[in-house]
Amino acid sequence: MLEMTNIHKRFGKSEVLKGINLRIEKGDVVVILGASGSGKTTLLRCLNFLEKADEGHARFGDIDVDLKTASKKQVHDIRQKVAFVFQNYNLFHHKTALENVTLGLIVGRKIPKEKAEEIGRKALDKVGLTEKYQVYPAQLSGGQQQRVGIARAVALNPEIILFDEPTSALDPELIGEVLDVMKKLAQEGTTMLVVTHEMSFAQDVANHVIFMDGGVIVEEGSPQDIFRNPQEERTKQFLRRVLPEITYCI
């Protein structure tokens, strides 16, 4: 499905990614954990060419690409397979929920408007926004706006969805509605790579958990491995800070 090899990224003299290797299979829900500045978001942005990696390869199905020298066609072909859910929604405020979902279909994929709207309505239905087709972002809660963002990704029918801290901009009472949608997608077999600070989601929904620090993957394994039997001291330190109730296990 998706295989990354030796991904490096620098910003000036700062090396943010220091040789990342990762393989994701169809149907996997992979969660990346780590403190701010560990390289998690940069990795996702390199995979979708929102940032250009300085070194590394990625294989998306039958497409094998050098992330530094990828052609416009390769970038286009990969973006047909990958959807991105942003931390801060990235909705067009002058467009309705339905228009936000269908824009990429009509402009990016040249799907006729009538067909795109049919796909868009189904995607909004899936995230629980059946009554919000014609509503503008300013009239929606943060949780609803993020669900529009997820619907936009789902409508593209991608092979994998990348989630960049999808609940971090939300008030605490709105986080649950977004996580519920993500859990539903996972149960339906959607392949997902998720950067998040939501430990309950990582424990309950992911089948593979990665802990990053300082631009490298420090440790990875099943949720049981990472949360109940971590091997690396840096992983243990992180978990003691974010989940003090399980310190007796580590």
Side-chain angles (χ1 to χ4, degrees):
M1 162 61 72
L2 171 58
E3 186 171 8
M4 302 164 242
T5 306
N6 196 36
I7 298 179
H8 290 258
K9 176 63 182 176
R10 300 171 189 85
F11 292 104
K13 295 182 179 180
S14 177
E15 190 173 18
V16 179
L17 299 177
K18 303 175 181 178
I20 301 296
N21 298 290
L22 178 62
R23 182 180 178 90
I24 300 173
E25 300 292 349
K26 185 180 173 85
D28 279 352
V29 178
V30 179
V31 165
I32 305 178
L33 305 177
S36 296
S38 59
K40 310 180 303 294
T41 290
T42 299
L43 176 61
L44 261 60
R45 291 178 66 85
C46 285
L47 291 175
N48 204 37
F49 296 95
L50 297 170
E51 299 284 355
K52 180 181 285 189
D54 295 303
E55 185 179 346
H57 281 78
R59 179 183 290 276
F60 297 80
D62 58 351
I63 303 174
D64 193 345
V65 62
D66 184 315
L67 294 177
K68 182 179 180 179
T69 62
S71 66
K72 288 184 178 180
K73 182 180 187 306
Q74 287 175 317
V75 172
H76 175 269
D77 290 346
I78 287 169
R79 285 179 171 167
Q80 300 297 301
K81 298 175 178 288
V82 181
F84 202 103
V85 175
F86 295 88
Q87 178 178 341
N88 292 313
Y89 326 139
N90 278 28
L91 301 180
F92 292 99
H93 292 286
H94 63 290
K95 293 186 178 295
T96 65
L98 183 59
E99 288 171 336
N100 268 282
V101 173
T102 59
L103 183 63
L105 299 173
I106 296 169
V107 176
R109 302 210 171 170
K110 310 303 180 185
I111 294 175
K113 182 178 179 181
E114 184 175 334
K115 178 63 176 178
E117 289 183 345
E118 178 185 344
I119 295 170
R121 285 191 290 268
K122 288 180 179 178
L124 287 167
D125 293 346
K126 183 183 285 287
V127 301
L129 294 176
T130 301
E131 304 300 321
K132 304 296 183 180
Y133 297 161
Q134 302 304 323
V135 174
Y136 289 89
Q139 300 168 293
L140 299 172
S141 70
Q144 289 171 332
Q145 290 185 60
Q146 188 59 289
R147 283 190 278 155
V148 173
I150 295 173
R152 177 176 57 193
V154 168
L156 296 172
N157 192 29
E159 295 185 15
I160 184 170
I161 302 178
L162 310 179
F163 291 83
D164 181 20
E165 300 191 29
T167 61
S168 65
L170 299 178
D171 293 334
E173 64 269 22
L174 301 177
I175 289 173
E177 65 188 60
V178 173
L179 292 179
D180 285 345
V181 169
M182 294 173 65
K183 289 175 184 177
K184 179 181 177 183
L185 292 176
Q187 290 165 357
E188 293 174 352
T190 304
T191 307
M192 303 159 66
L193 179 58
V194 184
V195 169
T196 185
H197 294 292
E198 298 299 330
M199 297 298 129
S200 61
F201 181 87
Q203 292 181 79
D204 299 340
V205 182
N207 67 298
H208 194 77
V209 176
I210 293 165
F211 173 64
M212 286 183 64
D213 186 60
V216 300
I217 294 176
V218 175
E219 188 167 357
E220 60 181 303
S222 69
Q224 182 71 18
D225 291 337
I226 298 301
F227 288 101
R228 297 297 170 180
N229 190 32
Q231 301 301 302
E232 300 295 329
E233 183 57 34
R234 182 65 187 91
T235 313
K236 296 176 184 179
Q237 292 172 355
F238 176 79
L239 292 175
R240 289 190 188 108
R241 189 173 76 249
V242 300
L243 288 174
E245 69 273 16
I246 69 165
T247 54
Y248 67 90
C249 298
I250 57 175

